[in-house]
Amino acid sequence: MDRRSFIKRAGAAGAGAAATAATLAAPAIAQSAPKISWRCTSSFPKALDTIFGAAQTMAKYVKESTDGNFDIQVFAAGEIVPGLQAADAAAAGTVEMCHTASYYYWGKDPTYALATAVPFMFNDRQMNAWLYYGDGNALLNEFYATKGLYGLACGNTGAQMGGWYRKEINTLADLKGLKMRIGGFAGKVVEKLGVVPQQIAGGDIYPALEKGTIDAAEWVGPYDDEKLGFQKVAPYYYYPGWWEGGPTLHTLVNLAKWNELPKAYQAAVASACEAANCDMMASYDYKNPGALKRLVAGGAQLRPFSQEILSACFDSANATYAEISASNAAFKKIYDSQAAFRKDAYLWAQISEYTFDTFMMIQQRNGKL
Amino acid sequence: MDRRSFIKRAGAAGAGAAATAATLAAPAIAQSAPKISWRCTSSFPKALDTIFGAAQTMAKYVKESTDGNFDIQVFAAGEIVPGLQAADAAAAGTVEMCHTASYYYWGKDPTYALATAVPFMFNDRQMNAWLYYGDGNALLNEFYATKGLYGLACGNTGAQMGGWYRKEINTLADLKGLKMRIGGFAGKVVEKLGVVPQQIAGGDIYPALEKGTIDAAEWVGPYDDEKLGFQKVAPYYYYPGWWEGGPTLHTLVNLAKWNELPKAYQAAVASACEAANCDMMASYDYKNPGALKRLVAGGAQLRPFSQEILSACFDSANATYAEISASNAAFKKIYDSQAAFRKDAYLWAQISEYTFDTFMMIQQRNGKL
């Protein structure tokens, strides 16, 4: 054997040995820790740092806990696709996942809305109870699977505010003809009461309120609303945002991509999403109080919705649920599950939690905290 | 070169290539995914499946997201050390970590209690806001480091109930001489009002109430209390448990062991603990409503504490905080941080969240849910 032949064969043997080593080592690497890079398109701009931040928190936990091997890059709305096309992009495989509010897609199927929030349903904690321990996650994923998606709860804003109004709204008569920037399901509910819902992008709300093109607009809550300065042009700040008692954000993953993911990475994503779910609520709860104080100092006039208005909206919401349930079996199945738990959840919540909070709020009002 | 020489050299080359492959692959395995087995001693028995379960949820997320490489085994109270020695066992390195309520160790230093719950402080969400976005986790870990521990929030029960009483408690006079099974910090607060605090293990409470050795006992809330059957011997079930508005459970890790852990495993534990923190609250919120209904059907008489009693307890708690703060700088630093956030947190909570909940509770009472 000449040297050249030897090198060739030894090289082959070496390669073979390396291949064997690779064969031995690879399963552990390939199955458990392959280098994967995913794109997550957010429905939100970076300026909404609390909501956008939930996707970043999730991605950070996943990346760090996989030693950098599973790298999820989060893109703001518009960087890959517009915010309202996030779920479509994930379903189509344009991106592997998105972070979004499922109710944005209620126009395609109102069932999407039940994953986020529907009027007069849950607060943050009740939603989590239903998702993680009730039928929630299982029922929602039965639905999402029909759309080619797998959903994981990933953030909550808590009860939102009821929006900014140029004039006081005291009675049902004040709602007639009110041009209000209010989206989706809630728009459908208030439309029955004479409100004229408007679809306006976040950045266009302020000038529309200023010019009087619209009379009112809902956005999120103090921390996010403050950035847009609504108190200068529509000072009456109503509460509660009865259409969003505890809206849940979702990470929606392309179903085929989810199923291909190593089990360890699925677990890392599930853990990170549940952690981010907790984290985003904490972020809002920490940031909203200061923003509320600054808004009031800057001219915002806090107003509770009257019982007359809340009751009429509640009835209108129930009528809407009945209408949709009559023709949409998927919606009915999930709505019925939520409504059944809601009944018991509010029974328990009013005992210890509510009386504890009430006593503490009285102390706050009396300047004793 | 003869065949034998070739094989020898080729083998060496092959081994070299394999060694090279190992050299390339090993760091990724050795640094990021070593096989590690830890023991986590819980302060709780398996029968308290919701609290014990939070440690299991944490361990499951960690194990799965590390592909089984980081295996945390959870042991019930007594299997390795008694429940109240869990933190000591972690600090001493007898176990690598424990899952416990930090306030169990308040006798060593009342600062421990601030990590869990102190009277008239936070509800679940406010505690999380302070922990994750306020100074909470940083301040607590500054304290824990002096004890050789690293702490991660890992579960919450929500507002607990105020306990079971053989007779109705209406006025401050009814508290005088009341022999009550009530632990730690809260015992110190009610002692100022004439209550005689008793330390009794969970399993001994029922016979003590039955015989009248004690007059009252606090435990957790409906789901856990139901298992012990207190309604049969002390039917008056008071609320709120003002000493535990949102008690946080902690995973306490031996500090040296924590620092030795690969960064990826630290991240997996952090993610899993925050996920379990969310998960345990959801578990209680899902399980408590049904238990409450069964308890009431079984004879429990729900009673709110009178404002007279709550106000006196609030004043007594504040006096206790002032006393401890005067001599314990670590306590004062953390208490002051909590109290500062509390003031703003209850201002915001009473706006949208509270009015949303209130309206929904009215519907519940009116049978409209």
Side-chain angles (χ1 to χ4, degrees), chain B residues 289-319:
Chain B
L292 178 72
K293 290 201 293 185
R294 291 188 298 272
L295 283 169
V296 170
Q301 304 281 321
L302 285 171
R303 294 286 186 276
F305 282 124
S306 65
Q307 290 301 300
E308 176 188 340
I309 287 177
L310 287 177
S311 291
C313 292
F314 179 67
D315 292 343
S316 176
N318 287 337

Side-chain angles (χ1 to χ4, degrees), chain A residues 32 61 67 120 125 133 159-160 271 274 279 285 293 344 350 352-354 357-358 360 364-365, chain B residues 32 61 67 120 123 125 133 159-160 271 274 279 285 293 344 350 352-354 357-358 360 364-365:
Chain A
S32 71
Y61 270 139
D67 210 29
F120 301 105
R125 279 177 44 180
Y133 283 86
Q160 297 194 5
S271 176
E274 193 164 356
D279 205 84
D285 279 336
K293 290 201 292 186
D344 283 351
Q350 72 193 258
S352 210
E353 205 73 46
Y354 188 79
D357 286 348
T358 301
M360 295 306 294
Q364 191 278 332
R365 291 202 174 193
Chain B
S32 72
Y61 269 139
D67 210 28
F120 300 105
N123 62 26
R125 279 178 44 182
Y133 283 86
Q160 297 195 5
S271 177
E274 193 165 356
D279 206 83
D285 279 337
K293 290 201 293 185
D344 283 351
Q350 72 193 258
S352 209
E353 205 74 46
Y354 188 78
D357 286 348
T358 302
M360 295 306 294
Q364 191 279 331
R365 291 201 175 194

Side-chain angles (χ1 to χ4, degrees), chain A residues 96-114:
Chain A
E96 292 84 3
M97 57 160 61
C98 70
H99 185 247
T100 189
S102 182
Y103 63 12
Y104 287 156
Y105 317 101
W106 85 284
K108 295 172 193 275
D109 186 330
T111 312
Y112 276 107
L114 294 163

Side-chain angles (χ1 to χ4, degrees), chain A residues 64-87:
Chain A
E64 290 179 357
S65 63
T66 61
D67 210 29
N69 288 317
F70 186 13
D71 186 9
I72 298 169
Q73 278 191 280
V74 183
F75 294 87
E79 289 185 349
I80 299 174
V81 293
L84 299 181
Q85 292 171 27

